[in-house]
């Protein structure tokens, strides 16, 4: 049985994803690159032959040299939490300013009936 052909660009993207996520499987490669199952299996084989991922165990493999060995970008959780807190503070401030603007006293314009009842 012939394997599906792969090109350098597909291998490069698959390698990048596998190293960034520290995992690879045919299902993930299909999702990442939007390729069919035959292409995904061929890309897995190419990643193994280029020593980018380890031999798969139960269909899933880890990267030989992961970008983030601990499983994620260091400190990303704290940064995203801080960003959410800052956004909430800005939103709360805008709501408070909007409520303050609503409390500004204005003199009402006369209605048509009031204008019609006035004597010249």
């Amino acid at each position: 049985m012939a394997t599906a052909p792969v090109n350098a660009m597909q291998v490069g993207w698959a390698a990048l994803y596998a190293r960034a996520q520290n995992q690879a499987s045919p299902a993930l490669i299909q999702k990442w690159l939007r390729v069919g199952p035959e292409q995904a299996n061929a890309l897995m084989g190419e990643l193994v032959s280029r020593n980018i991922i380890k031999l798969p165990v139960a269909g899933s493999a880890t990267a030989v040299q992961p970008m983030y060995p601990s499983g994620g970008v260091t400190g990303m959780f704290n940064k995203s939490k801080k960003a959410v807190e800052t956004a909430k503070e800005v939103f709360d401030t805008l709501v408070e300013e909007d409520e303050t603007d609503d409390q500004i006293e204005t003199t009402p314009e006369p209605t048509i009936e009031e204008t019609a009842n006035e004597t010249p």
Side-chain angles (χ1 to χ4, degrees):
M1 179 164 102
T3 60
V6 296
N7 64 47
M9 184 176 73
Q10 289 174 320
V11 173
W13 280 109
L16 176 67
Y17 284 123
R19 288 190 62 225
Q21 300 295 320
N22 194 20
Q23 64 178 335
S25 70
L28 286 173
I29 291 175
Q30 281 184 264
K31 178 182 169 186
W32 295 332
L33 302 179
R34 294 187 173 109
V35 297
E38 299 83 19
Q39 196 84 24
N41 285 322
L43 284 163
M44 281 287 290
E46 189 65 26
L47 293 177
V48 169
S49 70
R50 292 185 185 201
N51 200 32
I52 295 168
I53 61 173
K54 298 173 184 173
L55 281 173
V57 175
S60 185
T62 57
V64 172
Q65 294 179 325
M67 288 182 182
Y68 310 106
S70 64
V73 180
T74 307
M76 182 55 91
F77 176 74
N78 292 337
K79 289 180 183 176
S80 63
K81 184 178 177 182
K82 178 68 175 162
V84 169
E85 289 173 1
T86 302
K88 184 181 179 318
E89 290 171 8
V90 169
F91 180 75
D92 289 343
T93 302
L94 290 173
V95 169
E96 288 172 10
E97 288 175 0
D98 189 43
E99 289 172 353
T100 304
D101 290 345
D102 290 344
Q103 295 174 3
I104 296 174
E105 292 185 28
T106 58
T107 53
E109 295 290 323
T111 63
I112 295 175
E113 290 85 22
E114 291 173 340
T115 308
N117 291 336
E118 289 182 6
T119 53

